Amino acid sequence: MPRSDVVVIGGGQAGLAAAYYLRRAGIDHVVLDAQLTPGGAWPHGWDSLRLFSPARHSSLPGWPMPPFRDGCPTAQHVVDYLAAYEKRYDVPVRRPVRVTSVSRTERELLVHTDVGDWSARHVISATGTWWRPFRPRLDLPGRRLHTVDYRGPAEFAGQRVAVVGGGNSGAQIAADLAGHVELTWLTRRPPRYLPDEIDGKALFDIATRQVGGVGALGDIVAVPPVRQARDRGLLVAQPFNDEALSQADAVIWCTGFRPALGHLAPLHLRASNGLIPTTGTQAIGEPRLHLLGYGDWTGPASATLIGVGPTARAAVAQIANA
């Protein structure tokens, strides 16, 4: 059975940030990634998806993202950056390797995969949320999709499409569809746009302050396509209602995600809210396990490119001192 001091599960932005600090600390590690190619979830987003921030404010530790010629980078620009980051730091990624479960013995953690098992002194779980979309269970006559299934407006031409969700994904996909389909945008409450000057860098600064947060400012970052559709009167939200859903040819649920933690089930660490109690990134019930990149639960803004670095550094410092 192969052994490593640290096994990192997931080769997206959080896994790469962890690998950067593990390399700097001289800690033996391996990154197991289920995807065929680099980039984590970024290759799977919709065609028009862009970051909230310019490249200079969207970097992993050690190496700034190369500039993007036209405002905020596209998802493909992020994929190219993450692939180059892997090569630059010679990240020891094994792919495609799907981790099925993690178990423990008194001396070590065992990482079980579809190509064999690994033993480790510590495990960093960095699987994110993209792979566990939340889909409401409603019996509807039309086609039902989620954010993860959407690519662009072409396949919906001439159809009645309901987009459900008042967050960033809902606003961006509704803006992408506006003018191409008979659009109905359904939200639980009226859309709340952040001030137009707010971008990802400002969100990170707010999210990492000791007091306050972004929630009081709004829910939607007014990236240029959203701002343009809003200002043209194409983004008009309606209160959520079953009738609009039943009349749609297609419903796109922009209803968020849950942490992808199924591989950790054998450790029996989850609380009643479905999350694993942590102090920082370290699991309270299993100190050899760290959870990285799942959002504020495991570190302020840690689900973002710019935000995952500080929590990755803290996690590796704890492992180095264990």
Side-chain angles (χ1 to χ4, degrees):
M1 181 187 301
R3 188 184 188 283
S4 181
D5 281 346
V6 179
V7 170
V8 180
I9 305 173
Q13 61 203 38
L16 295 183
Y20 172 84
Y21 285 111
L22 289 164
R23 181 177 184 269
R24 275 198 6 174
I27 299 174
D28 175 56
H29 64 284
V30 65
V31 178
L32 306 181
D33 187 35
Q35 303 306 301
L36 292 170
T37 58
W42 288 101
H44 304 278
W46 59 93
D47 296 342
S48 66
L49 176 62
R50 290 205 176 195
L51 295 182
F52 293 159
S53 305
R56 66 181 180 275
H57 297 317
S58 306
S59 302
L60 291 179
W63 184 42
M65 181 182 287
F68 186 72
R69 65 187 181 278
D70 180 26
C72 296
T74 62
Q76 186 57 51
H77 189 77
V78 179
V79 172
D80 294 342
Y81 168 63
L82 296 180
Y85 191 95
E86 275 190 23
K87 292 183 178 180
R88 181 183 183 91
Y89 293 111
D90 195 23
V91 177
V93 180
R94 307 287 183 92
R95 63 165 60 91
V97 177
R98 185 175 67 88
V99 173
T100 55
S101 61
V102 177
S103 61
R104 57 185 158 198
T105 68
E106 184 177 344
R107 298 183 58 185
E108 59 195 359
L109 294 175
L110 302 178
V111 180
H112 309 283
T113 83
D114 58 352
V115 295
D117 300 341
W118 288 77
S119 65
R121 191 167 58 92
H122 296 272
V123 167
I124 296 176
S125 182
T127 50
T129 61
W130 183 264
W131 317 111
R132 195 176 167 222
F134 175 69
R135 303 174 188 264
R137 296 181 179 179
L138 293 179
D139 186 17
L140 300 171
R143 185 181 174 197
R144 286 164 286 174
L145 303 93
H146 189 273
T147 304
V148 299
D149 306 308
Y150 178 75
R151 291 296 174 269
E155 64 178 299
F156 303 100
Q159 296 184 24
R160 296 167 297 178
V161 180
V163 175
V164 183
N168 285 297
S169 295
Q172 288 191 33
I173 289 176
D176 199 40
L177 289 166
H180 300 279
V181 304
E182 186 179 330
L183 174 68
T184 302
W185 184 26
L186 301 172
T187 61
R188 290 289 185 186
R189 62 183 181 185
R192 301 191 310 153
Y193 296 95
L194 279 83
D196 286 359
E197 67 273 12
I198 293 288
D199 65 6
K201 173 61 166 61
L203 289 175
F204 171 71
D205 292 342
I206 295 169
T208 52
R209 291 174 186 167
Q210 293 299 314
V211 179
V214 300
L217 297 179
D219 302 314
I220 301 168
V221 179
V223 294
V226 169
R227 190 160 60 243
Q228 291 161 14
R230 178 200 65 191
D231 293 348
R232 291 171 57 197
L234 299 177
L235 282 187
V236 179
Q238 300 181 24
F240 182 88
N241 67 89
D242 293 341
E243 182 178 355
L245 293 178
S246 64
Q247 293 177 353
D249 299 307
V251 174
I252 303 174
W253 297 113
C254 299
T255 44
F257 302 83
R258 301 292 185 266
L261 301 174
H263 57 292
L264 302 177
L267 300 176
H268 302 291
L269 298 173
R270 288 203 196 196
S272 58
N273 64 358
L275 302 181
I276 295 174
T278 61
T279 174
T281 62
Q282 189 175 43
I284 294 174
E286 176 47 80
R288 296 170 293 184
L289 172 68
H290 287 260
L291 296 107
L292 181 62
Y294 295 96
D296 291 346
W297 161 46
T298 55
S302 68
T304 67
L305 284 157
I306 191 175
V308 72
T311 44
R313 182 174 63 241
V316 171
Q318 281 189 299
I319 288 171
N321 293 325

